[in-house]
Amino acid sequence: MCHERDDGSLSARSHHGHAGGLGAESVGPGGDPAGCSQRHSLVEVNCVVVGLDTHFSYAKLIKATNYARREGTLFIATNQDTELPTGTGIFLPGTGTLVGAVSIGARRTPIVVGKPNPAMFEVIQRKYGLRPERTLMVGDRLDTDIAFGPVTGMKSLLVLTGISSLRDVPCKVTVGGKELIVVPDFYLHSIKDLGDAIVASQAEH
């Protein structure tokens, strides 16, 4: 059992312990939807950020959409991943499904800061002086990880132990209103193969 405090935080954990075997402790549904529908239940916020929430609920959706609808409120999404691999053959809905729910309800398109949008790279580049022409983007998703390569000027390496396979190549992605045909520069079965290749290359020299 749990209840929501006036400030929107939750004061108790669910008696169910863990949510669906995901290893995350449940904190309940996020309040009573009837209570969330009252105007006085909303506080002043300047920004709505939607990320992965394995305890997403209708009550949280009510608040997020109403906050995001307010004029001047910044609406940000951490990423738009459609699904998450588990290694068991079962895929979990990703952050993109939650972003979609809030976006439709708020009638707004969020600013996406995660891959393949360049905002994340620009921050890293400024901080560490990263040179894209000397950097390899490694990932298991064509529409986010691998698309991040050409968007930022990096080469890309697809590993085949996650979401995407060679059957998915090429992949169409829209970034900043422009359609991009994504094809990885390289591919390997797993990240271990990359490590083995680096070790072998160093041994040769």
Side-chain angles (χ1 to χ4, degrees):
M1 299 293 291
C2 74
H3 68 275
E4 187 169 282
R5 298 190 181 98
D6 292 339
D7 64 358
S9 63
L10 297 167
S11 64
R13 295 173 181 166
S14 167
H15 66 277
H16 295 301
H18 290 79
L22 298 182
E25 286 195 3
S26 173
V27 292
D32 178 13
C36 293
S37 65
Q38 302 301 312
R39 180 174 291 274
H40 65 75
S41 70
L42 299 179
V43 297
E44 291 300 318
V45 301
N46 297 315
C47 179
V48 173
V49 180
V50 181
L52 183 62
D53 181 357
T54 57
H55 311 299
F56 192 67
S57 68
Y58 192 63
K60 292 179 181 179
L61 181 60
I62 291 172
K63 287 194 172 184
T65 53
N66 278 276
Y67 285 138
R69 276 193 181 196
R70 290 180 172 180
E71 185 177 353
T73 300
L74 194 61
F75 180 24
I76 295 175
T78 59
N79 65 78
Q80 292 182 305
D81 290 358
T82 56
E83 59 203 54
L84 304 171
T86 62
T88 64
I90 296 176
F91 288 88
L92 307 178
T95 302
T97 60
L98 311 186
V99 173
V102 177
S103 180
I104 292 171
R107 300 175 185 172
R108 289 183 61 187
T109 300
I111 299 170
V112 183
V113 296
K115 300 167 293 186
N117 299 277
M120 180 190 302
F121 180 81
E122 291 166 359
V123 171
I124 297 172
Q125 187 176 37
R126 284 197 299 269
K127 185 171 183 178
Y128 297 103
L130 203 65
R131 295 169 56 191
E133 71 276 8
R134 297 280 298 168
T135 307
L136 180 67
M137 177 63 206
V138 181
D140 67 350
R141 296 184 66 106
L142 286 166
D143 59 345
T144 56
D145 302 328
I146 303 307
F148 199 45
V151 167
T152 57
M154 297 183 289
K155 295 292 185 181
S156 62
L157 167 66
L158 175 68
V159 291
L160 304 176
T161 49
I163 294 292
S164 300
S165 70
L166 293 179
R167 293 191 300 272
D168 302 317
V169 180
C171 172
K172 287 185 179 180
V173 179
T174 301
V175 183
K178 297 181 180 180
E179 187 175 88
L180 183 69
I181 305 300
V182 178
V183 177
D185 295 291
F186 312 98
Y187 73 89
L188 288 171
H189 176 70
S190 71
I191 194 70
K192 180 181 181 299
D193 294 337
L194 176 60
D196 292 343
I198 293 173
V199 171
S201 175
Q202 292 175 337
E204 291 176 1
H205 296 85

